Amino acid sequence: MESIDIARQMVSMASEKQAEDIVLLDVRELVSYCDYFVLMSGASGRQLSAIADVVEKTLKPLKIGPRHREGDADSGWILLDFGGVIAHIFTPEIRSYYKLDRLWENAPKLVAIQ
């Protein structure tokens, strides 16, 4: 499965779990360590965990697993690194604090779901 397909699958799964402000960024021209970022917000720590879990469980049968998982629901930020795609799952407060959307504003937005 190509990186873009994994990223689009993440967007779909996040949307099904009611994630908010989902953004798929093409960062291939800006960084060398991945192709896409998927940024999203969850209203609570419990929702962050649910989103991260559904992403991992849905991709696992396809033999696609994260290379690295960092953070947890209590921190307000979960990062899932799938190599070509990195998902950032935030609470709105943590997302606002770190401002990754602004940091990567030069990356083309392939998907934006409010």
Side-chain angles (χ1 to χ4, degrees):
M1 186 177 268
E2 297 291 321
S3 293
I4 186 62
D5 299 319
I6 295 169
R8 290 188 187 280
Q9 186 85 335
M10 285 182 187
V11 168
S12 176
M13 290 178 277
S15 182
E16 287 177 19
K17 284 293 179 183
Q18 279 32 155
E20 300 170 352
D21 199 12
I22 304 167
V23 179
L24 170 54
L25 300 174
D26 181 345
V27 294
R28 292 177 293 178
E29 299 295 321
L30 302 173
V31 300
S32 61
Y33 53 87
C34 74
D35 298 329
Y36 304 98
F37 283 162
V38 182
L39 309 177
M40 64 196 85
S41 297
S44 66
R46 189 174 184 167
Q47 188 180 18
L48 298 185
S49 293
I51 295 166
D53 290 347
V54 77
V55 167
E56 288 182 296
K57 287 177 184 172
T58 303
L59 294 174
K60 187 176 182 175
L62 303 172
K63 300 197 185 319
I64 300 169
R67 293 181 179 177
H68 186 72
R69 180 178 177 146
E70 195 168 314
D72 57 32
D74 293 333
S75 73
W77 184 357
I78 299 173
L79 179 144
L80 299 174
D81 180 354
F82 285 85
V85 183
I86 297 176
H88 297 272
I89 310 165
F90 304 96
T91 60
E93 298 80 22
I94 297 297
R95 186 171 183 171
S96 176
Y97 180 80
Y98 285 102
K99 298 180 172 85
L100 290 189
D101 300 80
R102 197 161 114 197
L103 179 65
W104 299 106
E105 67 187 355
N106 293 330
K109 277 187 189 175
L110 303 181
V111 175
I113 302 171
Q114 296 298 318

